[in-house]
Amino acid sequence: MNLLGKTVLEIKSLIEKKKISYNELWEFFLKRIKKYNPRLNVFLTIVDKKTNKIPIAVKDNFCTKDIRTTAASLVLDNFIPPYESTVTKRLIDNGFSVIGKTNMDAWAHGSSTETSDYRPTKNPWDLERSPGGSSGGSAAAVISYLAPAAIGSETAGSIRGPASWCGVIGLKPTYGRVSRYGLIAMGSSLDCPGPLTLSVKDAAYILELIAGKDFFDATSSLKEKEKYSDFLNKKKSYILGIADDYFEGVDKETEKKVNEAIEIFKKMGHRIKKIKLLSPKYAISVYTILQRVEVSSNLARYDGIKYGNSRQNFKEEAKKRMMLGAYTISFGCFDAYYKKAQQVRTLIIQDFNEKFKEVDMILSPTMPITALKLGEFKKYPFFGEKMDVLAEPAAVAGLPAISFPVGLDKNNLPIGLQLVGRYFEEKEILNLSYQFEKETEFFGVIKKGIERYSD
Amino acid sequence: MDKKDYLPIIGLEIHIELKTKSKMFCQCQADFFGKEPNSQVCPVCLGLPGALPVPNKKAVEWTILLAKALNCQINHFSKFDRKHYFYPDLPKGYQISQYDQPIANNGFIKIYYEKGLEKKFRIRRVHLEEDTGKLIHQGEETLIDFNRSGLPLVEIVTEPDFNKSEDVKRFLEELQVIIRYLDVSYADMEKGSMRLEPNISIKKLKTQNLKLKTNEIDNLPSYKVEVKNINSFRFVKQAIDYEVERQIKILEKGEMPKQETRGYDSKKGITYSQRSKEEADDYRYFPEPDIPPMVFSSQEIERTKLPELPYQRYQRYLKNFSLRQQEAFLLTRDKKIADFFEEVNNKFQTQSQKLSLKIDNSSQAIANLIVNKKISLNLDVNQFVNKAITLLLPKKTDKELLKKVINKILTENKKAVSDYQNGKKNALMFLVGQVMRELKGKVEVKEVIEELNIRVRS
C-alpha cells in the first residue's frame, strides 16, 4: 500500500481496519527519514524505536522524557529531560509516539530556522530556500512527508510562517488553550503550541487531543475544550474582515492569490467586510519589547553551571535579545519600554475586540512574501520581525489563527492565507478552513509538495 | 560628643517560611528538614527548561491571614514578579517574588511594656515569595541542595521605627508568638524558618535636646547597613548593638559608614563586610508572565477570620480568670500551654464543684502550677487535674489516726528514738518518713513533725 501523503486520520483508519501494521508504518517513515533527512536537515534527533502508535514529529523545544531536547542550541546539546511536556504526554496517551525532534531557530529566536546551532533546515520546495521559522523543521517534516503531522510552537508567527512557506496547515490556538508546561519558554506571555498538518481535519483532531486545562500551567484556560472535528463542515456563513494595512508591502503575487481566495469565499456565501485595524507596525514594537524582556529572563537559568555547557554557546541572536530585554527592564527604563508596550498591547486587544463585533474572522496573507533564500535574513536587522508582521498582532493579542495554502507563485513556492478568529473560537476558523479545503483542495499545493518526495 | 547625640535608626526585613504541605509553586513536599539532599525536587523547583510555577493556594491564604494579624491592609489586586540576580542557589536566575503590588501593606505590631507602656511599630509591606536552594561549602567544593528551593517565604518589611535593639527583640518575640498562634510557620530562628535582616544606620542629632523635632527623625541618614546571618534570638541584640557601636565610632571620627551588607559572626560577636552596596541593585523586576495576577474581593478578604491572638487572650485571662499580669502574660506566650491551662482550669472547676471543695482564686493557683512547672506538663489533662487537687487542697489530718500510727512507729523503732534522744538529729527525719509511709502521704509533714517532737521529747 502506498502510504505517501496519508493524513493522520487516514492512517488511523487504515490501522484500525488492519490494512497496515504499525511496523509497516514506522518502517515507511524511518526509511524516508533516512533518505531525505540528510538533504533537508529536518530532525535533530531521530527516535529509531518502533511503537504501536502513530509517529509524529515534535519541535525540539518540547521536553520529551528520555529523548534529547536541545531547542536547537548547543547550550542544551546533551540535555535529556527527566519529564514529559503536557503536549507530548497528551499525544502519547492518545496513540501517538515521537519519531523525531525537529530543527528550529535556536531557542525559537528567528523566522528562518537559520539560527539553529545545527545548521538550517532546507525548504523542501527549494533547497536553496528557508522553510521559515522558528518551527521550520516541523513544517518541512510535514510537506516532505517524513511524518504525517508535526507539533510546533508559536510566539509570533513561528507556526503560521513556516506553514505558509512550506505549504501546509498551521494552527496557532488561543493563548492558554494549550498548555505550555514542558515547552522551553521563549516569550512566556505569547508562547502557544500548535499542530502543523496536511489537512484541516488533522489539525482539529490534534488540537482536540492537546487542548484543555492543565494544572501544571497556571495560564492555561479553565474553559472546556471542544470537539473541534465535530464542528467541521457546519453550514455557516461568516463575515470576514479585511484591513488595508494588512496588505501593505505584500508581494503582488501573494496579494493576487489571496484576492482570488477571497473571491472563492464570496462564492461560497461568506461576506467580506472592509475594516480598519490598528496598523500591524505597532504590534512589531510591542512584540519586540515584551518578547525580548521575557527572553532575557527565561534564558537566565542557563548559567553554564547546570546543563554542562558554557554560556559561550549562546550565539549572536540570543545574546542580542538578552541584552535588549535586560536593558528594557533595567532601572529607569521599565516605564518607557515595558510598561508602555503593555499599554499598547491592551489597545491592540481592545481594537480586535471592537472589530470582532463587526466581523467573525479577519483574513489576510500569512506572510508578505514567499520563502526567502537562505542567508537573506542576516542582511537586515529585525528582518524576522518584519517577515512576521502580519502574524504578530494576533500573537500579541493571544488570538487563535490558522494558515493554509492558497496557491504557488511563479517560483513554485507556496503562498499562505491566514484567518484570525475570536478568543477560543478555534472551531470557527477550523470550520471555515475546512469548507475552503473541500472547495479548493488548497489548489493541489499540498499534493504537489509531497509528490516532490515520492518513492 | 556624647552617645545621646546619636540615634540608631533600624528597620527590619523578616522572612518567615510557611509550613505548608507542598512547596510554593510545585507539588514537592515542603518539609525538608533532615531529608537527603536533592530528594525533594521536581522540574519546577529545579527550574528545568519548560517547567512552570503554579501558586500554592494555602500559602496565599496564610499570607493574608498573617498580614491581617499584623493589622495590614490587604490589597484587592496583587501579582507576582520576577526578581533577577545570579547566584548558584537560584535555579531559574530569578526569584519569583512580589514587587510593587504585594499582598498587603501598612500594618503594625503593638508591644506592651511594664507599667502599661506600649509602643507601636509600623509594617510597610507583607509579600510572598519562594525560597532558594542551600549552598553547602565543603573544603574546596560547594554543593547545592535544592530541597529548600521553592519553599513559600513571607517577607515582612517594617518601617525604620526602631531605635533600640531591645525593641527589635521584643518585636520579634511578639511576631513569633503571633505566627505560632496562627500556626502557619514554626518561626524558628535556629532552624531558619524565621530570619531577620536589620537595616541599621545612625542619625546624628543636631541638638543636645532629646526632645526631637519630628522632621529631624523623618530625615533618614543617607546610608544603611544590612546585617545578615543572625540565626538565633540570642544574637539579635548583640549583633545590633555591635553594629550601632561600630557606626557611631566611624561617625565620631567625622567619617561616614559605608553602605554595605555585613554578616554577623556569632563566635566573635562582630559584624564583617560581605558586599558593598554603593550602587543600588538592579533586579530588573517585571510581572511574572507565568502566573495570572491575583484578585481578592472584599468578601474573600473578610472570610479570612483571625483566631484569638496572644494579646487578646492575655486580656481575657486578666478579665475572666482574674490572673495576675505576669502569669497571664507567660501563659499566653505559647498557645499550646494556654490551651492546656484552659482545659485544666475548666476541668478543675467542675471537679472541685462536684467535691464541694473551696479554694481561693483557683485559676491563679493553677496558673502558678503551670508557670512554675510544679506539675509535669506531659501529663494529660485528667492526671494533671488530679495532681493539682491533691496539691492545692488543704489536708484535713485525722489526729486520732496520726497518734495511733506514731505509737506504732515509736514502738517498732526504739533504736531511732534513743538515737534521737542522744542527739542524732537525723533520726527524727527517719521517723517522720516511717509515719508518712504508713499514712500514704495523707497528712501534712509539718503536723507529723510537730506531733513526733512532742512525743519523742517527752
Side-chain angles (χ1 to χ4, degrees), chain B residues 412-429:
Chain B
E412 282 171 9
N413 295 283
K414 291 221 166 88
K415 172 125 186 358
V417 175
S418 60
D419 280 353
Y420 180 71
Q421 286 163 342
N422 292 330
K424 279 195 179 168
K425 298 276 180 223
N426 286 345
L428 182 72
M429 285 328 284

mmCIF file of all heavy atoms in Angstrom, chain B residues 412-429:
data_model
loop_
_atom_site.group_PDB
_atom_site.id
_atom_site.type_symbol
_atom_site.label_atom_id
_atom_site.label_comp_id
_atom_site.label_asym_id
_atom_site.label_seq_id
_atom_site.Cartn_x
_atom_site.Cartn_y
_atom_site.Cartn_z
ATOM 1 N N GLU B 412 8.082 0.295 117.255
ATOM 2 C CA GLU B 412 8.841 -0.527 116.306
ATOM 3 C C GLU B 412 10.269 -0.031 116.109
ATOM 4 O O GLU B 412 11.126 -0.745 115.594
ATOM 5 C CB GLU B 412 8.150 -0.554 114.930
ATOM 6 C CG GLU B 412 6.962 -1.488 114.891
ATOM 7 C CD GLU B 412 6.148 -1.349 113.603
ATOM 8 O OE1 GLU B 412 6.605 -0.635 112.663
ATOM 9 O OE2 GLU B 412 5.060 -1.920 113.542
ATOM 10 N N ASN B 413 10.534 1.243 116.466
ATOM 11 C CA ASN B 413 11.842 1.828 116.159
ATOM 12 C C ASN B 413 12.501 2.419 117.414
ATOM 13 O O ASN B 413 12.937 3.576 117.389
ATOM 14 C CB ASN B 413 11.695 2.902 115.075
ATOM 15 C CG ASN B 413 11.228 2.324 113.741
ATOM 16 O OD1 ASN B 413 11.995 1.723 113.003
ATOM 17 N ND2 ASN B 413 9.933 2.482 113.482
ATOM 18 N N LYS B 414 12.602 1.636 118.392
ATOM 19 C CA LYS B 414 13.133 2.135 119.677
ATOM 20 C C LYS B 414 14.539 2.689 119.510
ATOM 21 O O LYS B 414 14.934 3.673 120.110
ATOM 22 C CB LYS B 414 13.133 0.992 120.700
ATOM 23 C CG LYS B 414 11.704 0.594 121.094
ATOM 24 C CD LYS B 414 11.589 0.324 122.599
ATOM 25 C CE LYS B 414 10.147 0.262 123.049
ATOM 26 N NZ LYS B 414 9.550 -1.103 122.940
ATOM 27 N N LYS B 415 15.332 2.033 118.646
ATOM 28 C CA LYS B 415 16.721 2.459 118.435
ATOM 29 C C LYS B 415 16.783 3.893 117.908
ATOM 30 O O LYS B 415 17.532 4.725 118.412
ATOM 31 C CB LYS B 415 17.393 1.500 117.454
ATOM 32 C CG LYS B 415 18.770 1.928 117.012
ATOM 33 C CD LYS B 415 19.797 0.853 117.266
ATOM 34 C CE LYS B 415 21.239 1.225 116.987
ATOM 35 N NZ LYS B 415 21.538 2.506 116.483
ATOM 36 N N ALA B 416 15.940 4.169 116.955
ATOM 37 C CA ALA B 416 15.923 5.512 116.370
ATOM 38 C C ALA B 416 15.535 6.532 117.408
ATOM 39 O O ALA B 416 16.113 7.627 117.460
ATOM 40 C CB ALA B 416 14.936 5.543 115.195
ATOM 41 N N VAL B 417 14.574 6.154 118.252
ATOM 42 C CA VAL B 417 14.120 7.093 119.283
ATOM 43 C C VAL B 417 15.273 7.424 120.223
ATOM 44 O O VAL B 417 15.549 8.604 120.489
ATOM 45 C CB VAL B 417 12.931 6.505 120.082
ATOM 46 C CG1 VAL B 417 12.551 7.454 121.232
ATOM 47 C CG2 VAL B 417 11.735 6.298 119.159
ATOM 48 N N SER B 418 15.991 6.357 120.641
ATOM 49 C CA SER B 418 17.083 6.651 121.596
ATOM 50 C C SER B 418 18.207 7.401 120.892
ATOM 51 O O SER B 418 18.834 8.273 121.466
ATOM 52 C CB SER B 418 17.588 5.364 122.256
ATOM 53 O OG SER B 418 18.077 4.500 121.244
ATOM 54 N N ASP B 419 18.462 7.061 119.618
ATOM 55 C CA ASP B 419 19.453 7.822 118.851
ATOM 56 C C ASP B 419 19.147 9.303 118.882
ATOM 57 O O ASP B 419 20.004 10.133 119.113
ATOM 58 C CB ASP B 419 19.465 7.379 117.375
ATOM 59 C CG ASP B 419 20.262 6.096 117.196
ATOM 60 O OD1 ASP B 419 20.892 5.654 118.183
ATOM 61 O OD2 ASP B 419 20.236 5.541 116.064
ATOM 62 N N TYR B 420 17.881 9.581 118.629
ATOM 63 C CA TYR B 420 17.465 10.990 118.581
ATOM 64 C C TYR B 420 17.668 11.644 119.939
ATOM 65 O O TYR B 420 18.200 12.749 120.037
ATOM 66 C CB TYR B 420 16.008 11.110 118.134
ATOM 67 C CG TYR B 420 15.522 12.550 118.074
ATOM 68 C CD1 TYR B 420 15.997 13.409 117.067
ATOM 69 C CD2 TYR B 420 14.635 13.059 119.020
ATOM 70 C CE1 TYR B 420 15.589 14.720 117.001
ATOM 71 C CE2 TYR B 420 14.222 14.372 118.969
ATOM 72 C CZ TYR B 420 14.701 15.220 117.947
ATOM 73 O OH TYR B 420 14.292 16.527 117.896
ATOM 74 N N GLN B 421 17.251 10.917 120.941
ATOM 75 C CA GLN B 421 17.372 11.489 122.289
ATOM 76 C C GLN B 421 18.840 11.678 122.651
ATOM 77 O O GLN B 421 19.175 12.544 123.448
ATOM 78 C CB GLN B 421 16.636 10.608 123.298
ATOM 79 C CG GLN B 421 15.125 10.792 123.159
ATOM 80 C CD GLN B 421 14.317 9.689 123.814
ATOM 81 O OE1 GLN B 421 14.863 8.599 124.091
ATOM 82 N NE2 GLN B 421 13.050 9.963 124.086
ATOM 83 N N ASN B 422 19.741 10.859 122.006
ATOM 84 C CA ASN B 422 21.175 11.031 122.237
ATOM 85 C C ASN B 422 21.794 12.060 121.305
ATOM 86 O O ASN B 422 23.001 12.142 121.157
ATOM 87 C CB ASN B 422 21.908 9.693 122.081
ATOM 88 C CG ASN B 422 21.527 8.730 123.203
ATOM 89 O OD1 ASN B 422 21.205 9.174 124.313
ATOM 90 N ND2 ASN B 422 21.520 7.450 122.902
ATOM 91 N N GLY B 423 20.968 12.792 120.608
ATOM 92 C CA GLY B 423 21.488 13.926 119.831
ATOM 93 C C GLY B 423 21.621 13.695 118.333
ATOM 94 O O GLY B 423 22.084 14.554 117.609
ATOM 95 N N LYS B 424 21.222 12.488 117.845
ATOM 96 C CA LYS B 424 21.303 12.280 116.396
ATOM 97 C C LYS B 424 20.056 12.871 115.734
ATOM 98 O O LYS B 424 18.989 12.252 115.682
ATOM 99 C CB LYS B 424 21.425 10.785 116.067
ATOM 100 C CG LYS B 424 22.834 10.269 116.221
ATOM 101 C CD LYS B 424 22.975 8.916 115.532
ATOM 102 C CE LYS B 424 24.402 8.405 115.673
ATOM 103 N NZ LYS B 424 24.492 6.988 115.268
ATOM 104 N N LYS B 425 20.213 14.093 115.233
ATOM 105 C CA LYS B 425 19.063 14.827 114.678
ATOM 106 C C LYS B 425 18.412 14.084 113.506
ATOM 107 O O LYS B 425 17.199 14.119 113.312
ATOM 108 C CB LYS B 425 19.495 16.226 114.203
ATOM 109 C CG LYS B 425 20.024 17.117 115.317
ATOM 110 C CD LYS B 425 18.871 17.821 116.061
ATOM 111 C CE LYS B 425 19.438 18.707 117.168
ATOM 112 N NZ LYS B 425 18.663 18.601 118.419
ATOM 113 N N ASN B 426 19.271 13.417 112.715
ATOM 114 C CA ASN B 426 18.756 12.702 111.540
ATOM 115 C C ASN B 426 17.688 11.669 111.878
ATOM 116 O O ASN B 426 16.817 11.404 111.047
ATOM 117 C CB ASN B 426 19.894 11.961 110.833
ATOM 118 C CG ASN B 426 20.774 12.922 110.084
ATOM 119 O OD1 ASN B 426 20.382 14.073 109.876
ATOM 120 N ND2 ASN B 426 21.948 12.463 109.698
ATOM 121 N N ALA B 427 17.778 11.124 113.007
ATOM 122 C CA ALA B 427 16.870 10.054 113.401
ATOM 123 C C ALA B 427 15.420 10.501 113.374
ATOM 124 O O ALA B 427 14.528 9.721 113.033
ATOM 125 C CB ALA B 427 17.238 9.552 114.791
ATOM 126 N N LEU B 428 15.192 11.769 113.643
ATOM 127 C CA LEU B 428 13.808 12.257 113.641
ATOM 128 C C LEU B 428 13.228 12.163 112.223
ATOM 129 O O LEU B 428 12.113 11.701 112.018
ATOM 130 C CB LEU B 428 13.739 13.701 114.145
ATOM 131 C CG LEU B 428 12.299 14.231 114.205
ATOM 132 C CD1 LEU B 428 11.525 13.567 115.356
ATOM 133 C CD2 LEU B 428 12.255 15.733 114.357
ATOM 134 N N MET B 429 14.025 12.574 111.274
ATOM 135 C CA MET B 429 13.547 12.557 109.902
ATOM 136 C C MET B 429 13.236 11.126 109.460
ATOM 137 O O MET B 429 12.296 10.889 108.713
ATOM 138 C CB MET B 429 14.560 13.200 108.945
ATOM 139 C CG MET B 429 14.609 14.723 109.028
ATOM 140 S SD MET B 429 13.038 15.534 109.433
ATOM 141 C CE MET B 429 12.188 15.404 107.873
#
